[in-house]
Amino acid sequence: MELIPINLVIGDHTYRIKIQPKDEAVVRHTAKTINDKLVEFKTAFAGKDMQDYVAMVLIWFATQQTGSASNEMEQKALQEKLAALEKIVDGALGNNE
């Protein structure tokens, strides 16, 4: 598959990267999220330099990704427990008929 070049502005730098065309919307959305968080952290923590803000955004972003993974694991465990409970209830109802 052929890669397309795009320019992304993150913070005060422009980055030229090559991506698959199908990934462009996701990459641009991610860059917008990063820039929005940079503005948010600049507002909340005045007096830092751009490297500090980028580090804060990286920590936030990594935490979000880890949180999503742990939420998925918790959700899977919950589904397994509910399936086990459903079997118990079905068995109990079957015995009472």
Side-chain angles (χ1 to χ4, degrees):
M1 182 173 277
E2 191 171 324
L3 299 178
I4 60 168
I6 64 170
N7 292 319
L8 290 179
V9 177
I10 296 179
D12 53 4
H13 291 298
T14 301
Y15 300 93
R16 185 161 179 83
I17 63 172
K18 290 185 177 186
I19 60 170
Q20 294 182 1
K22 67 180 179 69
D23 296 333
E24 184 176 5
V26 172
V27 170
R28 290 194 184 278
H29 177 73
T30 301
K32 180 182 180 332
T33 300
I34 290 169
N35 284 317
D36 291 347
K37 278 293 175 185
L38 282 171
V39 169
E40 185 180 320
F41 286 129
K42 278 182 176 181
T43 303
F45 305 103
K48 306 282 184 186
D49 66 11
M50 184 57 72
Q51 186 174 352
D52 292 331
Y53 297 124
V54 170
M56 290 178 196
V57 172
L58 285 173
I59 291 168
W60 171 82
F61 202 79
T63 303
Q64 292 298 312
Q65 299 306 313
T66 303
S68 295
S70 68
N71 283 344
E72 287 177 26
M73 289 189 305
E74 288 173 10
Q75 201 169 34
K76 184 176 178 181
L78 180 60
Q79 287 174 344
E80 290 171 357
K81 289 178 182 177
L82 287 172
L85 285 172
E86 185 178 15
K87 282 184 180 180
I88 292 169
V89 170
D90 286 345
L93 291 175
N95 290 337
N96 289 336
E97 291 184 348

XYZ file of all heavy atoms in Angstrom:
760
model
N 0.854 -1.178 0.000
C 0.000 0.000 0.000
C 0.898 1.238 0.000
O 1.910 1.292 0.687
C -0.907 -0.013 1.235
C -1.855 1.144 1.273
S -3.067 1.036 2.596
C -4.257 -0.025 1.813
N 0.478 2.219 -0.753
C 1.275 3.429 -0.886
C 1.013 4.392 0.275
O -0.123 4.566 0.712
C 0.939 4.112 -2.205
C 1.906 5.230 -2.540
C 1.704 5.750 -3.945
O 1.386 4.935 -4.826
O 1.866 6.953 -4.142
N 2.087 4.996 0.781
C 1.978 5.955 1.873
C 1.813 7.358 1.303
O 2.356 7.673 0.247
C 3.222 5.898 2.756
C 3.503 4.554 3.428
C 4.799 4.636 4.229
C 2.360 4.139 4.322
N 1.051 8.182 2.036
C 0.877 9.573 1.623
C 1.566 10.478 2.646
O 1.565 10.189 3.844
C -0.616 9.950 1.489
C -1.354 9.777 2.828
C -1.265 9.160 0.382
C -2.740 10.392 2.851
N 2.177 11.571 2.190
C 2.799 12.503 3.126
C 1.765 13.491 3.666
O 0.897 13.961 2.930
C 3.845 13.216 2.274
C 3.276 13.181 0.894
C 2.454 11.904 0.805
N 1.832 13.757 4.959
C 0.987 14.798 5.553
C 1.845 15.641 6.487
O 2.883 15.186 6.971
C -0.232 14.239 6.323
C 0.190 13.399 7.528
C -1.130 13.435 5.401
C -0.965 13.041 8.453
N 1.426 16.853 6.717
C 2.084 17.740 7.669
C 1.219 17.835 8.916
O 0.026 18.108 8.816
C 2.285 19.141 7.088
C 3.290 19.150 5.962
O 4.312 18.484 6.038
N 2.990 19.887 4.907
N 1.825 17.599 10.058
C 1.122 17.730 11.331
C 1.807 18.808 12.149
O 3.027 18.831 12.244
C 1.178 16.424 12.126
C 0.382 15.249 11.607
C 0.581 14.051 12.514
C -1.093 15.589 11.532
N 1.007 19.669 12.734
C 1.543 20.664 13.654
C 1.192 20.199 15.059
O 0.019 20.002 15.388
C 0.962 22.064 13.384
C 1.476 23.064 14.406
C 1.287 22.510 11.966
N 2.219 19.988 15.858
C 2.028 19.616 17.257
C 2.840 20.606 18.082
O 4.057 20.700 17.929
C 2.469 18.165 17.528
C 1.588 17.209 16.730
C 2.401 17.862 19.021
C 1.925 15.759 16.871
N 2.112 21.324 18.937
C 2.781 22.373 19.708
C 3.258 23.451 18.762
O 2.489 24.014 17.997
N 4.547 23.699 18.797
C 5.096 24.739 17.935
C 6.002 24.164 16.847
O 6.835 24.856 16.298
C 5.841 25.790 18.764
C 6.882 25.174 19.683
O 7.097 23.944 19.629
O 7.489 25.920 20.466
N 5.826 22.883 16.533
C 6.618 22.231 15.489
C 5.724 21.608 14.433
O 4.638 21.114 14.735
C 7.501 21.119 16.068
C 8.610 21.616 16.931
N 9.621 22.432 16.478
C 8.868 21.401 18.233
C 10.461 22.694 17.463
N 10.014 22.081 18.549
N 6.229 21.616 13.207
C 5.553 20.942 12.107
C 6.318 19.663 11.796
O 7.543 19.678 11.696
C 5.507 21.833 10.852
O 4.813 23.034 11.173
C 4.799 21.145 9.706
N 5.590 18.584 11.662
C 6.181 17.286 11.371
C 5.610 16.776 10.059
O 4.395 16.759 9.877
C 5.875 16.283 12.489
C 6.418 16.717 13.824
C 5.625 17.432 14.710
C 7.723 16.434 14.187
C 6.119 17.848 15.939
C 8.233 16.837 15.411
C 7.428 17.550 16.280
O 7.920 17.960 17.494
N 6.482 16.370 9.163
C 6.046 15.767 7.900
C 6.216 14.264 8.058
O 7.324 13.780 8.266
C 6.871 16.289 6.735
C 6.378 15.789 5.392
C 6.914 16.682 4.263
N 6.481 16.230 2.962
C 5.310 16.517 2.418
N 4.448 17.258 3.090
N 4.990 16.084 1.219
N 5.096 13.545 7.979
C 5.140 12.099 8.139
C 4.425 11.438 6.970
O 3.649 12.078 6.261
C 4.509 11.643 9.473
C 3.016 12.004 9.530
C 5.246 12.239 10.660
C 2.274 11.423 10.715
N 4.717 10.152 6.782
C 4.036 9.376 5.749
C 3.184 8.313 6.433
O 3.663 7.618 7.323
C 5.042 8.721 4.809
C 5.746 9.721 3.927
C 6.637 9.032 2.927
C 7.256 10.067 2.010
N 8.017 9.432 0.927
N 1.935 8.248 6.005
C 0.987 7.310 6.604
C 0.154 6.658 5.511
O 0.138 7.117 4.370
C 0.058 8.011 7.614
C -0.754 9.111 6.925
C 0.836 8.561 8.788
C -1.851 9.692 7.770
N -0.565 5.619 5.887
C -1.510 5.012 4.958
C -2.731 5.927 4.845
O -3.163 6.508 5.842
C -1.928 3.630 5.445
C -0.800 2.639 5.443
C -1.252 1.263 5.884
O -2.413 1.026 6.175
N -0.297 0.343 5.934
N -3.273 6.056 3.661
C -4.432 6.959 3.481
C -5.580 6.649 4.433
O -6.236 7.567 4.924
C -4.836 6.716 2.025
C -3.595 6.242 1.353
C -2.843 5.459 2.394
N -5.809 5.383 4.742
C -6.931 5.022 5.611
C -6.724 5.512 7.049
O -7.675 5.626 7.798
C -7.151 3.506 5.607
C -6.029 2.708 6.237
C -6.331 1.208 6.195
C -5.223 0.398 6.798
N -5.074 0.529 8.224
N -5.483 5.830 7.419
C -5.184 6.262 8.781
C -5.192 7.779 8.956
O -5.053 8.274 10.076
C -3.807 5.734 9.214
C -3.768 4.229 9.292
O -4.837 3.620 9.527
O -2.678 3.651 9.126
N -5.364 8.514 7.872
C -5.236 9.968 7.940
C -6.198 10.618 8.934
O -5.789 11.451 9.755
C -5.412 10.603 6.560
C -5.191 12.111 6.598
C -5.265 12.766 5.227
O -5.573 12.073 4.230
O -5.019 13.979 5.168
N -7.444 10.250 8.903
C -8.425 10.875 9.800
C -8.075 10.613 11.262
O -8.151 11.520 12.095
C -9.830 10.368 9.489
N -7.668 9.396 11.573
C -7.322 9.050 12.960
C -6.079 9.821 13.407
O -6.033 10.358 14.518
C -7.094 7.526 13.096
C -6.552 7.177 14.477
C -8.381 6.777 12.824
N -5.084 9.904 12.531
C -3.843 10.615 12.875
C -4.129 12.096 13.091
O -3.664 12.700 14.067
C -2.767 10.403 11.791
C -1.572 11.313 12.011
C -2.333 8.942 11.764
N -4.921 12.680 12.220
C -5.248 14.109 12.375
C -6.082 14.351 13.636
O -5.884 15.344 14.335
C -5.967 14.633 11.134
C -5.042 14.709 9.928
C -5.637 15.537 8.800
N -4.782 15.530 7.632
C -3.717 16.308 7.463
N -3.365 17.159 8.400
N -3.010 16.247 6.353
N -7.002 13.451 13.929
C -7.796 13.575 15.155
C -6.897 13.469 16.397
O -7.060 14.224 17.360
C -8.887 12.513 15.193
C -9.689 12.529 16.456
N -10.618 13.513 16.727
C -9.682 11.719 17.543
C -11.146 13.301 17.920
N -10.597 12.206 18.434
N -5.952 12.547 16.362
C -5.020 12.393 17.483
C -4.179 13.654 17.657
O -3.988 14.124 18.782
C -4.111 11.164 17.259
O -4.942 10.007 17.146
C -3.137 10.980 18.414
N -3.684 14.213 16.558
C -2.899 15.452 16.636
C -3.738 16.590 17.218
O -3.250 17.377 18.034
C -2.366 15.829 15.261
N -5.014 16.664 16.832
C -5.900 17.704 17.381
C -6.088 17.502 18.878
O -6.041 18.466 19.655
C -7.251 17.687 16.672
C -8.201 18.760 17.203
C -9.548 18.706 16.538
C -10.527 19.741 17.038
N -10.415 20.230 18.370
N -6.274 16.257 19.306
C -6.426 15.961 20.731
C -5.178 16.382 21.495
O -5.266 16.989 22.567
C -6.699 14.454 20.945
O -7.893 14.106 20.251
C -6.837 14.116 22.416
N -4.017 16.071 20.941
C -2.747 16.448 21.575
C -2.653 17.963 21.693
O -2.309 18.490 22.759
C -1.555 15.875 20.786
C -1.512 14.349 20.950
C -0.239 16.514 21.221
C -0.558 13.648 20.014
N -2.952 18.680 20.615
C -2.874 20.146 20.656
C -3.882 20.742 21.625
O -3.573 21.716 22.326
C -3.050 20.721 19.247
C -1.795 20.558 18.425
O -0.689 20.788 18.895
N -1.959 20.128 17.190
N -5.086 20.171 21.689
C -6.083 20.644 22.656
C -5.574 20.465 24.085
O -5.751 21.341 24.936
C -7.409 19.905 22.478
C -8.122 20.265 21.180
O -7.733 21.256 20.526
O -9.069 19.534 20.814
N -4.948 19.314 24.356
C -4.407 19.058 25.700
C -3.240 19.986 26.002
O -3.076 20.431 27.146
C -3.962 17.594 25.844
C -5.101 16.670 26.158
C -5.655 16.972 27.541
C -6.875 16.164 27.846
N -7.488 16.505 29.117
N -2.423 20.290 24.994
C -1.322 21.239 25.200
C -1.869 22.590 25.655
O -1.359 23.178 26.619
C -0.508 21.419 23.911
C 0.477 20.318 23.567
C 1.042 20.525 22.167
C 1.595 20.241 24.595
N -2.919 23.057 24.990
C -3.532 24.333 25.368
C -4.093 24.247 26.785
O -3.920 25.164 27.597
C -4.635 24.727 24.351
C -5.454 25.895 24.857
C -4.019 25.035 23.003
N -4.745 23.129 27.089
C -5.315 22.937 28.428
C -4.232 22.984 29.511
O -4.385 23.649 30.528
C -6.040 21.588 28.464
C -6.774 21.310 29.750
C -7.466 19.950 29.711
O -8.030 19.579 28.661
O -7.441 19.262 30.749
N -3.122 22.291 29.277
C -2.047 22.281 30.266
C -1.334 23.627 30.347
O -0.912 24.042 31.421
C -1.043 21.162 29.979
C -1.561 19.783 30.321
C -1.491 18.748 29.409
C -2.133 19.517 31.555
C -1.964 17.477 29.718
C -2.617 18.261 31.880
C -2.536 17.241 30.954
N -1.207 24.338 29.218
C -0.610 25.681 29.238
C -1.439 26.614 30.107
O -0.909 27.454 30.828
C -0.523 26.261 27.824
C 0.646 25.805 27.030
C 0.618 26.512 25.679
C 1.806 26.189 24.851
N 1.793 26.888 23.557
N -2.753 26.466 30.023
C -3.654 27.308 30.813
C -3.567 26.961 32.295
O -3.535 27.842 33.147
C -5.109 27.129 30.319
O -5.157 27.441 28.933
C -6.053 28.026 31.071
N -3.501 25.679 32.585
C -3.503 25.232 33.985
C -2.143 25.411 34.663
O -2.085 25.646 35.870
C -3.917 23.761 34.055
N -1.069 25.297 33.911
C 0.278 25.347 34.493
C 1.121 26.375 33.763
O 2.018 26.034 32.985
C 0.958 23.967 34.403
C 0.167 22.866 35.028
C -0.553 21.978 34.246
C 0.139 22.706 36.411
C -1.294 20.956 34.812
C -0.595 21.692 36.991
C -1.317 20.811 36.192
N 0.854 27.643 34.007
C 1.577 28.717 33.329
C 3.046 28.725 33.745
O 3.401 28.312 34.842
C 0.930 30.057 33.658
N 3.899 29.189 32.826
C 5.304 29.369 33.151
C 6.202 28.200 32.813
O 7.399 28.249 33.062
N 5.664 27.148 32.251
C 6.477 25.998 31.844
C 6.919 26.202 30.395
O 6.430 27.077 29.697
C 5.667 24.698 31.949
C 5.045 24.444 33.299
C 6.066 23.933 34.251
C 5.403 23.577 35.577
N 6.356 23.202 36.577
N 7.858 25.375 29.945
C 8.214 25.453 28.526
C 7.489 24.358 27.742
O 6.855 23.478 28.327
C 9.727 25.404 28.310
C 10.362 24.075 28.700
O 9.636 23.095 28.944
O 11.605 24.017 28.745
N 7.583 24.433 26.430
C 6.831 23.514 25.575
C 7.196 22.062 25.866
O 6.326 21.187 25.843
C 7.072 23.846 24.098
C 6.255 22.996 23.155
S 4.456 23.047 23.408
C 4.078 24.674 22.813
N 8.442 21.783 26.155
C 8.852 20.404 26.445
C 8.115 19.865 27.671
O 7.706 18.708 27.703
C 10.360 20.331 26.659
C 10.860 18.912 26.824
C 12.371 18.840 26.902
O 13.055 19.828 26.693
N 12.884 17.670 27.202
N 7.914 20.707 28.684
C 7.159 20.295 29.869
C 5.714 19.957 29.506
O 5.167 18.954 29.964
C 7.159 21.391 30.938
C 8.524 21.615 31.550
O 9.324 20.660 31.594
O 8.783 22.754 31.987
N 5.103 20.809 28.675
C 3.716 20.561 28.278
C 3.592 19.287 27.450
O 2.654 18.514 27.636
C 3.157 21.752 27.503
C 3.092 23.021 28.316
C 3.713 24.182 27.889
C 2.401 23.057 29.528
C 3.653 25.349 28.631
C 2.336 24.220 30.284
C 2.964 25.365 29.831
O 2.912 26.505 30.567
N 4.536 19.073 26.541
C 4.513 17.860 25.725
C 4.653 16.633 26.627
O 3.943 15.636 26.450
C 5.608 17.894 24.638
C 5.741 16.541 23.950
C 5.296 18.979 23.608
N 5.531 16.700 27.623
C 5.693 15.578 28.554
C 4.392 15.322 29.314
O 3.992 14.163 29.498
C 6.832 15.859 29.536
N 3.719 16.376 29.753
C 2.448 16.221 30.453
C 1.414 15.549 29.562
O 0.673 14.657 30.011
C 1.913 17.587 30.893
C 2.683 18.237 31.994
S 1.956 19.857 32.349
C 3.265 20.609 33.291
N 1.356 15.958 28.297
C 0.402 15.368 27.362
C 0.739 13.902 27.115
O -0.155 13.053 27.076
C 0.350 16.156 26.033
C -0.489 15.428 24.997
C -0.205 17.551 26.273
N 2.026 13.584 26.979
C 2.425 12.187 26.784
C 2.005 11.324 27.965
O 1.500 10.210 27.781
C 3.934 12.079 26.575
C 4.427 12.519 25.204
C 5.954 12.539 25.184
C 3.898 11.607 24.121
N 2.198 11.821 29.171
C 1.794 11.073 30.364
C 0.272 10.896 30.370
O -0.242 9.805 30.626
C 2.276 11.775 31.645
C 3.798 11.680 31.721
C 1.622 11.168 32.890
C 4.421 12.579 32.777
N -0.452 11.973 30.067
C -1.920 11.888 30.016
C -2.356 10.861 28.976
O -3.198 10.016 29.245
C -2.518 13.264 29.688
C -3.976 13.196 29.404
C -4.993 13.166 30.308
C -4.594 13.105 28.113
N -6.204 13.071 29.656
C -5.983 13.031 28.313
C -4.096 13.082 26.813
C -6.885 12.937 27.252
C -4.992 12.983 25.759
C -6.370 12.909 25.999
N -1.763 10.937 27.768
C -2.154 10.060 26.672
C -1.853 8.600 27.006
O -2.689 7.720 26.795
C -1.429 10.479 25.392
C -2.113 10.031 24.140
C -3.205 10.718 23.654
C -1.665 8.923 23.444
C -3.854 10.308 22.496
C -2.304 8.506 22.286
C -3.399 9.204 21.815
N -0.671 8.349 27.567
C -0.302 6.977 27.929
C -1.222 6.441 29.016
O -1.620 5.273 28.988
C 1.150 6.934 28.393
N -1.596 7.278 29.956
C -2.505 6.872 31.024
C -3.879 6.543 30.462
O -4.500 5.574 30.885
C -2.625 7.991 32.077
O -1.320 8.294 32.571
C -3.512 7.579 33.220
N -4.336 7.317 29.494
C -5.626 7.045 28.858
C -5.609 5.693 28.171
O -6.565 4.940 28.254
C -5.969 8.141 27.837
C -6.251 9.482 28.450
C -7.446 9.449 29.377
O -8.488 8.933 29.031
N -7.291 9.989 30.554
N -4.508 5.388 27.482
C -4.398 4.113 26.770
C -4.369 2.948 27.756
O -5.017 1.935 27.556
C -3.135 4.086 25.894
C -3.113 5.148 24.822
C -4.340 5.140 23.930
O -4.746 4.093 23.457
N -4.939 6.286 23.698
N -3.624 3.090 28.829
C -3.557 2.043 29.845
C -4.910 1.865 30.505
O -5.350 0.751 30.747
C -2.498 2.400 30.918
O -1.251 2.591 30.258
C -2.363 1.312 31.945
N -5.587 2.967 30.789
C -6.915 2.909 31.388
C -7.890 2.171 30.493
O -8.692 1.380 30.960
N -7.799 2.397 29.189
C -8.692 1.703 28.260
C -8.438 0.208 28.286
O -9.369 -0.585 28.268
C -8.480 2.227 26.835
O -8.855 3.571 26.761
N -7.170 -0.183 28.334
C -6.839 -1.612 28.349
C -7.342 -2.264 29.626
O -7.903 -3.364 29.601
C -5.334 -1.803 28.202
N -7.150 -1.582 30.773
C -7.608 -2.179 32.023
C -9.134 -2.216 32.080
O -9.714 -3.153 32.614
C -7.033 -1.436 33.236
O -7.569 -0.142 33.329
N -9.797 -1.217 31.509
C -11.258 -1.236 31.451
C -11.750 -2.406 30.614
O -12.742 -3.053 30.961
C -11.801 0.071 30.865
C -11.758 1.205 31.872
O -11.617 0.979 33.063
N -11.853 2.424 31.376
N -11.065 -2.689 29.514
C -11.453 -3.820 28.671
C -11.283 -5.128 29.422
O -12.127 -6.017 29.341
C -10.620 -3.832 27.387
C -11.010 -2.757 26.403
C -10.120 -2.739 25.178
O -9.538 -3.780 24.831
O -10.019 -1.673 24.557
N -10.183 -5.258 30.188
C -9.956 -6.479 30.960
C -11.011 -6.629 32.041
O -11.534 -7.727 32.259
C -8.546 -6.472 31.580
C -7.447 -6.664 30.556
S -5.805 -6.916 31.241
C -5.587 -5.510 32.290
N -11.356 -5.539 32.715
C -12.395 -5.582 33.741
C -13.742 -5.940 33.118
O -14.500 -6.727 33.689
C -12.494 -4.231 34.451
C -11.327 -3.936 35.371
C -11.375 -2.524 35.938
O -12.400 -1.825 35.768
O -10.378 -2.113 36.548
N -14.016 -5.398 31.957
C -15.282 -5.673 31.287
C -15.358 -7.148 30.877
O -16.399 -7.792 31.038
C -15.411 -4.775 30.060
C -16.820 -4.605 29.581
C -16.922 -3.512 28.535
O -16.017 -3.312 27.738
N -18.043 -2.809 28.532
N -14.255 -7.704 30.400
C -14.239 -9.112 30.010
C -14.461 -10.004 31.230
O -15.224 -10.966 31.178
C -12.917 -9.468 29.331
C -12.875 -10.878 28.812
C -11.596 -11.180 28.072
C -11.602 -12.628 27.608
N -10.379 -12.989 26.917
N -13.788 -9.659 32.354
C -13.964 -10.444 33.577
C -15.413 -10.378 34.048
O -15.985 -11.393 34.476
C -13.019 -9.930 34.670
N -16.006 -9.200 33.961
C -17.407 -9.036 34.361
C -18.324 -9.874 33.467
O -19.244 -10.539 33.957
C -17.811 -7.563 34.306
C -19.251 -7.230 34.687
C -19.548 -7.674 36.119
C -19.513 -5.747 34.527
N -18.069 -9.878 32.170
C -18.877 -10.678 31.250
C -18.768 -12.164 31.576
O -19.765 -12.886 31.524
C -18.452 -10.418 29.805
C -18.890 -9.064 29.286
C -18.340 -8.762 27.900
O -17.406 -9.398 27.431
N -18.923 -7.770 27.246
N -17.557 -12.613 31.919
C -17.374 -14.024 32.273
C -18.142 -14.373 33.547
O -18.777 -15.425 33.632
C -15.881 -14.341 32.436
C -15.124 -14.330 31.121
C -13.620 -14.427 31.302
O -13.125 -14.446 32.454
O -12.919 -14.480 30.272
N -18.111 -13.489 34.527
C -18.846 -13.724 35.776
C -20.354 -13.745 35.523
O -21.068 -14.580 36.074
C -18.489 -12.657 36.821
C -17.092 -12.800 37.374
C -16.776 -11.700 38.354
C -15.353 -11.816 38.859
N -14.983 -10.724 39.754
N -20.824 -12.829 34.685
C -22.255 -12.802 34.368
C -22.676 -14.065 33.624
O -23.761 -14.609 33.883
C -22.594 -11.560 33.542
C -22.580 -10.227 34.297
C -22.749 -9.064 33.330
C -23.648 -10.201 35.364
N -21.814 -14.547 32.731
C -22.133 -15.789 32.009
C -22.209 -16.963 32.976
O -23.100 -17.820 32.866
C -21.089 -16.044 30.925
N -21.294 -17.004 33.964
C -21.318 -18.078 34.957
C -22.587 -17.998 35.801
O -23.229 -19.022 36.085
C -20.074 -17.997 35.843
N -22.964 -16.787 36.204
C -24.199 -16.611 36.971
C -25.427 -17.018 36.149
O -26.358 -17.628 36.667
C -24.347 -15.154 37.429
C -23.455 -14.718 38.581
C -23.567 -13.209 38.794
C -23.833 -15.455 39.848
N -25.409 -16.702 34.875
C -26.523 -17.068 34.010
C -26.675 -18.592 33.941
O -27.797 -19.118 34.006
C -26.298 -16.497 32.607
C -27.456 -16.726 31.667
C -27.233 -16.096 30.296
O -26.081 -15.730 29.981
O -28.212 -15.984 29.555
N -25.547 -19.298 33.873
C -25.601 -20.767 33.857
C -26.196 -21.309 35.156
O -26.991 -22.252 35.149
C -24.205 -21.352 33.645
C -23.730 -21.297 32.229
C -22.379 -21.982 32.083
C -21.903 -21.930 30.651
N -20.604 -22.581 30.481
N -25.796 -20.705 36.277
C -26.313 -21.144 37.581
C -27.823 -20.926 37.643
O -28.586 -21.805 38.054
C -25.595 -20.402 38.735
C -24.132 -20.839 38.799
C -26.296 -20.631 40.057
C -23.269 -19.989 39.728
N -28.269 -19.736 37.215
C -29.703 -19.421 37.233
C -30.459 -20.354 36.297
O -31.512 -20.891 36.652
C -29.940 -17.936 36.881
C -31.417 -17.660 36.663
C -29.380 -17.034 37.967
N -29.925 -20.557 35.089
C -30.571 -21.459 34.144
C -30.680 -22.871 34.730
O -31.721 -23.536 34.602
C -29.805 -21.503 32.814
C -29.997 -20.251 31.968
O -30.932 -19.481 32.278
O -29.215 -20.060 31.019
N -29.613 -23.314 35.388
C -29.628 -24.644 36.006
C -30.674 -24.728 37.118
O -31.399 -25.721 37.225
N -30.757 -23.690 37.920
C -31.724 -23.678 39.025
C -33.149 -23.646 38.490
O -34.032 -24.319 38.997
C -31.483 -22.491 39.937
N -33.389 -22.892 37.455
C -34.718 -22.829 36.866
C -35.078 -24.158 36.211
O -36.222 -24.587 36.265
C -34.815 -21.686 35.854
C -34.764 -20.278 36.443
C -34.736 -19.242 35.318
C -35.949 -20.027 37.366
N -34.111 -24.794 35.606
C -34.347 -26.082 34.963
C -34.674 -27.158 35.962
O -35.492 -28.042 35.715
N -34.110 -27.097 37.176
C -34.346 -28.085 38.210
C -35.718 -27.891 38.868
O -36.261 -28.810 39.442
C -33.278 -28.018 39.298
C -31.936 -28.525 38.778
O -31.884 -29.280 37.819
N -30.864 -28.083 39.399
N -36.268 -26.673 38.802
C -37.540 -26.386 39.449
C -38.744 -26.697 38.572
O -39.862 -26.612 39.017
C -37.596 -24.900 39.868
C -36.654 -24.622 41.021
O -36.304 -25.529 41.785
N -36.241 -23.392 41.159
N -38.519 -27.005 37.317
C -39.666 -27.230 36.418
C -40.351 -28.533 36.655
O -39.910 -29.534 36.996
C -39.201 -27.148 34.953
C -38.825 -25.728 34.592
C -38.446 -25.596 33.111
O -38.260 -26.578 32.439
O -38.350 -24.558 32.635
